[in-house]
Amino acid sequence: MSESADERSDLERMLDDLFPYRRTTQTHRRIPEHGEDRDVLLSEIALMAKAEDAQGDAGRVSGSLYSGDHEHYHFLAQVFEHFAHANVLQRDMYPSATKFEGETIAMSADLFHAPEPVGVVTSGGSDSLVHALYSYREQAREARGVRMPNVVLPITAHVALRKGAHWMGIEVRDAPLTAAYVADVDAMADLVDDNTICLVGSAGDYAHGLIDPIDEIGALALDRGIGLHVDGCLGGFLLPWAEELGYDVPAWDFRVPGVTSLSADTHKYAYALKGTSVLLYRDAGLRSRQWFASTDWPGGLYLSPGLAGSRSGGLIASTWAAMVSMGREGYLERAAAILNTNDTIKAGIREAMPELAIIGDPLFMTSFTSATDAAGEDTLDIYLVNDALKKRGWRMNALQLPPALHFCITGPNTRPGVAEDFLADLRAAVDYALEHRGEPAASGAMYGFGSMPNGDETLRTVMGGVLDAMHVAAPDG
Ligand SMILES: Cc1ncc(COP(=O)(O)O)c(C=O)c1O
């Protein structure tokens, strides 16, 4: 950052972060009178994409990208182009969508050992989780008359489940974690009652990449006669390959009795374009809870598998093409590189950074917090570590409860030298945090906010304001 940039006011800095193109591109607040030249637009867009891809392509970003192979992206974009405009609601026009969707479900069901290929393709992990919750709510209402539904999940279950529960009037019952940072199944058992619609476990969870004891949760589900959703959105398309490569992967998929549904994001480790995930069900009866059919609407008979109406055929076709073009061999090869890189990072931290503590023993990410001293105090402020990593061009995911960072390994991080560079920079970042102990960290800026009086409410208001700011055209100036 240049010196003059440092002299910007806080407001200017925030505006530059949110709207970096406000000085270099025209801001449109009204559809232009005359259409702009396509070539000009394309070159403008290419400039933005190039700038925004640079950090990820260099292997300095945690998660988010997964493939990073631009030839693969180009191929998927070519497939997308053929059906981008196709609305797969109109199946008489686009029967190819039935092929692509059905085969994507079948290939996924096969990979996760589902007894039958029963599922749907959704728009992403959150979409899959919310649809699963809806199906369980409807099942519990119809089969057991449940009117005050609750879902029992470990505190680390993905936040989209909270969003879905909030929208659908489902109470969330949080179970604590064991010392190993996975679901405490005894605590889950204590939270289940007659109004529990289902249990949830993760494989692995977003924060720490850890796999909950799915076999134990499955046994609990069977014992109580309720369903179990396994959130494999993040790890789903990586764990089968880890297992094949000989890594110790605890049972987590449909081979576990009691697992009744499972989500896995094709737009993560299946390397499809952003905007797709697979939600599988053990049986068609549960899936049919999310079907919607209307017979008395003036617009005609209406049938839809989920919340979305029109969907692009391009995404479904390119997801299918990602799986078929990668092949088992391609997935295995990539998984081996990812797991190997993570092993290198874990070993490097364990060997050279006693100030850090790795949370659990995750396969495809490394989540680390501050170690504690003899008095049980944190050795350092992990957000100061993040400050220093940021300055060195790394983008980690910052966590809370406890404060931690995670590095979720994806394709670009497996490039030669990336893991070694990261370890060197992390060592330097730890030294920075030790030297600046007691100073407030710039990253994780909301750290501590939650403990103010009415902190959560204040925090939610501030976070809502951020969303407001992200949904406007760039302001003048
Ligand atoms: C475990 C897990 N579940 C669900 C999701 C939500 O996925 P999406 O961002 O595609 O909605 C994520 C995202 O990272 C995740 O890690």
Side-chain angles (χ1 to χ4, degrees), residues 185-477:
V185 185
D186 288 339
M188 288 181 79
D190 288 344
L191 292 168
V192 175
D193 65 13
D194 291 345
N195 289 328
T196 303
I197 58 169
C198 70
L199 307 176
V200 176
S202 307
D205 76 292
Y206 166 80
H208 313 123
L210 298 173
I211 303 173
D212 287 319
I214 302 298
D215 52 350
E216 289 175 43
I217 307 177
L220 173 63
L222 286 175
D223 182 53
R224 303 296 174 93
I226 51 181
L228 163 58
H229 179 79
V230 175
D231 178 4
C233 286
L234 180 55
F237 279 101
L238 195 79
L239 294 177
W241 314 116
E243 185 181 338
E244 206 165 319
L245 288 161
Y247 281 81
D248 185 16
V249 181
W252 69 278
D253 64 13
F254 283 106
R255 285 172 289 182
V256 177
V259 171
T260 44
S261 59
L262 182 158
S263 49
D265 290 357
T266 32
H267 68 190
K268 293 192 174 88
Y269 288 112
Y271 313 120
L273 293 176
K274 280 285 182 268
T276 60
S277 165
V278 172
L279 169 58
L280 300 173
Y281 291 99
R282 189 177 281 278
D283 68 74
L286 182 57
R287 180 180 64 177
S288 70
R289 307 288 175 174
Q290 69 165 79
W291 290 166
F292 178 79
S294 168
T295 53
D296 57 358
W297 178 50
L301 296 179
Y302 182 88
L303 181 64
S304 153
L307 183 61
S310 301
R311 288 189 296 155
S312 167
L315 272 181
I316 295 175
S318 57
T319 300
W320 173 89
M323 293 172 100
V324 175
S325 69
M326 288 289 303
R328 300 180 74 89
E329 219 175 34
Y331 282 123
L332 263 179
E333 199 179 304
R334 278 169 174 264
I338 286 169
L339 297 164
N340 192 31
T341 302
N342 196 48
D343 287 344
T344 306
I345 288 175
K346 275 193 296 192
I349 293 177
R350 283 189 186 124
E351 278 158 27
M353 297 174 225
E355 302 87 348
L356 299 178
I358 294 178
I359 297 180
D361 191 19
L363 289 171
F364 55 86
M365 72 158 72
T366 301
S367 181
F368 48 94
T369 181
S370 168
T372 44
D373 60 21
E377 297 293 321
D378 280 353
T379 311
L380 45 71
D381 178 346
I382 199 75
Y383 297 130
L384 282 173
V385 174
N386 201 24
D387 285 355
L389 284 174
K390 245 174 144 171
K391 279 200 191 110
R392 287 164 183 263
W394 297 93
R395 184 181 188 276
M396 297 294 103
N397 295 99
L399 315 168
Q400 58 174 352
L401 309 168
L405 304 177
H406 84 213
F407 190 175
C408 179
I409 307 301
T410 67
N413 312 130
T414 65
R415 304 228 161 96
V418 169
E420 290 73 18
D421 286 352
F422 174 70
L423 287 170
D425 283 346
L426 182 58
R427 179 64 255 173
V430 166
D431 291 338
Y432 170 89
L434 292 173
E435 279 157 28
H436 292 80
R437 203 197 300 255
E439 293 176 21
S443 65
M446 295 193 188
Y447 183 44
F449 221 82
S451 60
M452 287 168 64
N454 303 317
D456 283 353
E457 213 30 68
T458 313
L459 196 49
R460 264 193 286 275
T461 307
V462 171
M463 288 159 81
V466 173
L467 282 182
D468 289 342
M470 281 163 57
H471 288 82
V472 294
D476 289 328

